[in-house]
Amino acid sequence: MDKLVIRGGNRLHGEVQVAGAKNAALPLMAASILSGGVTKLSNVPDLVDIRTFSSVLAHLGVEISATDHRLELDASNINNDEAPYDMVRKMRASVYVLGALLGRFGKARVSLPGGCAWGPRPVDIHLKGLKALGADIDIDRGYIVASAKKLKGASFYLDFPSVGATVNLLLAASCAEGKTKLENVAREPEIVNLVRMLQKMGVEINGEGTPTLSIVGSNNLAAVEMEVIPDRIEAGTYLVAAGLTGGKIHLKGASAEQMSLILVRAAEAGIKTTTTQDGIIVERTGELHPVDVETAVYPGFPTDMQAQWIVLMTAAKGVSLIEDTIYPDRFTHVAELTRLGAVISMKENIARVSGGNTLIGAPVMSTDLRASASLVLAALNAEGETHIRRIYHLDRGYEALEKKFEALGANIKREQDK
Ligand code: UD1
């Protein structure tokens, strides 16, 4: 297993190319199932999660070729409707094949994803919504077994604007007979990317970017070309790196529109952001200020930036409160950050950071994707050397992380962990 060895203290500056968003690419890949042709996706990040999902699709019979951030997915010979446990447990978003298979073929057998490092992550809303569209759903020995002669358009209110449930229901409703109205859907930019692709494929969808979507399904969807939007969480992670180290980074390809609240909070913390023709320049020259954040569904502050924000706040003199309302238990990084000398106490789902003291390098362990990113950030700002173990989490979601940080001036190496 690899580990990262980081010697902190360097001011980071330069340009970084923001990759395509993993969380946008996965739904677009699932949408390829709905057409009987060859879907072409561009700006696809080169990540373990993308390869994991490619193997799920290949298992179904989708023929996939990948070259230089492009994927071609040929869905003309799908011959299997099962996504097995060993694949789904590696990546929860595999459950997206449920809505797509059910839509195109009227049946699917998909392993229940189970929990994750920071607690339970149910799929009840996905299933309730699919039932509303007329699917019969059973749970059989850990598998969701879904079938429908023909899905029928319906009205459905999501009890929570879940990203995953919105994806699954959009995919299914795109093939349903008649009109579907989905209320209280997720409005994340990644959802809008999917809606635009489905519209291009021939589905009539209104309301993208709002809490209500109306969808008129079709049983003849075209295979299309689509570009994956930039990764706002990767961009946000490099923004925090600039803020922490008093640096200046041009986030090339980042979208200010998709990151608006992150940029607002960054400005409050003392990070200057300037939108350019092809990205955003982020820079800190003065002191960092403590800024409270509360995670919420988009356009709120993303839970996927919570761990990184906590690290930023360890460098701001004073007290800040960071609350996660989406995943109340998503704080496994706090104990590891404490090992580096961060002063953080927890009360339920709120982290209280007393910032301003110097962090000191130490051995730490990654626990999940964003927690790992937060440890890298903390190490970049710590005195001495930090060794981060179990970094396979990072490879799931950050393309060429150590190369990008090295190019920005960080002292960072990947080594074999003996
Ligand atoms: C997606 C993102 C993940 C991000 C999360 C929240 C992908 C691949 N992953 O995950 O990076 O952290 O959005 O922005 O895009 N819930 C239910 N029942 C359900 C579904 C969800 O109770 O059927 C709850 C969850 O437990 C959680 C909340 O809703 O508390 C948000 O979950 P959801 O939006 O579904 O997250 P994911 O799609 O899994």
Side-chain angles (χ1 to χ4, degrees):
M1 237 188 272
D2 290 347
K3 68 174 177 183
L4 283 179
V5 180
I6 298 173
R7 181 165 279 280
N10 294 3
R11 177 181 169 267
L12 301 189
H13 59 92
E15 281 181 8
V16 65
Q17 182 61 48
V18 175
K22 159 180 93 72
N23 288 353
L26 296 168
L28 303 193
M29 289 169 72
S32 75
I33 294 176
L34 301 184
S35 83
V38 181
T39 295
K40 296 179 181 172
L41 302 181
S42 57
N43 200 31
V44 180
D46 185 9
L47 295 171
V48 170
D49 270 7
I50 298 294
R51 291 193 280 279
T52 304
F53 197 46
S54 293
S55 45
V56 174
L57 296 178
H59 181 82
L60 303 177
V62 180
E63 284 165 37
I64 304 179
S65 65
T67 43
D68 189 25
H69 298 99
R70 297 182 67 85
L71 277 186
E72 288 197 6
L73 305 108
D74 182 349
S76 53
N77 291 313
I78 292 181
N79 51 17
N80 189 355
D81 59 23
E82 178 173 300
Y85 175 66
D86 273 340
M87 292 181 161
V88 178
R89 77 181 165 82
K90 286 190 193 150
M91 201 196 46
R92 298 178 45 84
S94 306
V95 78
Y96 293 165
V97 301
L98 178 65
L101 287 173
L102 192 59
R104 176 147 172 234
F105 299 106
K107 60 189 176 111
R109 189 179 158 83
V110 177
S111 172
L112 271 166
C116 77
W118 70 80
R121 289 175 75 177
V123 288
D124 54 316
I125 304 168
H126 303 229
L127 303 187
K128 210 169 151 190
L130 293 173
K131 279 184 192 162
L133 294 175
D136 287 322
I137 299 201
D138 286 313
I139 304 296
D140 174 34
R141 286 165 293 168
Y143 278 74
I144 305 162
V145 183
S147 62
K149 260 211 180 85
K150 181 74 197 155
L151 291 175
K152 293 233 164 27
S155 287
F156 180 70
Y157 182 93
L158 284 75
D159 288 334
F160 184 88
S162 149
V163 172
T166 304
V167 170
N168 250 330
L169 296 178
L170 261 169
L171 293 169
S174 293
C175 300
E177 206 171 79
K179 187 168 168 177
T180 296
K181 185 171 166 196
L182 299 176
E183 286 183 276
N184 199 28
V185 294
R187 293 189 270 162
E188 270 66 1
E190 293 75 18
I191 298 288
V192 176
N193 203 184
L194 173 63
V195 168
R196 298 250 155 86
M197 171 160 166
L198 293 168
Q199 287 166 332
K200 231 175 159 182
M201 291 172 79
V203 189
E204 198 186 309
I205 306 181
N206 286 305
E208 71 262 33
T210 77
T212 304
L213 290 170
S214 62
I215 303 139
V216 182
S218 157
N219 50 17
N220 183 23
L221 297 184
V224 296
E225 294 190 17
M226 197 68 196
E227 186 177 337
V228 176
I229 59 167
D231 191 328
R232 61 199 165 99
I233 305 301
E234 189 199 27
T237 303
Y238 286 95
L239 173 150
V240 168
L244 262 180
T245 65
K248 180 176 182 178
I249 302 180
H250 190 179
L251 308 169
K252 290 195 79 176
S255 158
E257 192 195 330
Q258 290 161 10
M259 293 175 68
S260 61
L261 189 55
I262 299 175
L263 300 186
V264 168
R265 293 288 175 260
E268 288 168 4
I271 302 171
K272 191 175 148 202
T273 65
T274 316
T275 305
T276 66
Q277 252 183 354
D278 59 346
I280 308 168
I281 295 174
V282 293
E283 178 180 20
R284 176 171 71 83
T285 46
E287 291 274 286
L288 270 176
H289 312 297
V291 175
D292 298 348
V293 300
E294 184 186 314
T295 69
V297 294
Y298 190 84
F301 192 88
T303 169
D304 285 351
M305 278 297 297
Q306 176 256 101
Q308 300 90 313
W309 195 263
I310 286 184
V311 175
L312 184 67
M313 290 300 104
T314 64
K317 234 180 236 142
V319 171
S320 49
L321 300 175
I322 291 97
E323 176 170 4
D324 202 321
T325 66
I326 307 291
Y327 294 113
D329 300 318
R330 190 183 202 177
F331 287 99
T332 52
H333 40 286
V334 166
E336 297 300 304
L337 293 172
T338 306
R339 292 178 47 72
L340 299 175
V343 183
I344 308 169
S345 58
M346 289 300 309
K347 196 170 173 201
E348 292 169 357
N349 62 336
I350 302 175
R352 180 180 189 276
V353 183
S354 296
N357 60 317
T358 307
L359 302 186
I360 312 282
V364 289
M365 215 153 64
S366 286
T367 48
D368 67 74
L369 175 55
R370 306 303 169 188
S372 307
S374 78
L375 295 179
V376 170
L377 292 168
L380 289 169
N381 198 37
E383 233 173 63
E385 222 170 62
T386 299
H387 291 230
I388 308 177
R389 295 198 160 80
R390 294 203 188 162
I391 55 163
Y392 51 85
H393 294 292
L394 277 174
D395 297 330
R396 285 187 37 219
Y398 285 89
E399 186 178 309
L401 174 119
E402 71 270 22
K403 289 201 183 84
K404 288 185 180 181
F405 272 123
E406 200 175 15
L408 293 168
N411 187 337
I412 178 170
K413 288 191 301 271
R414 184 182 284 248
E415 287 182 1
Q416 268 227 312
D417 194 8
K418 286 162 208 134

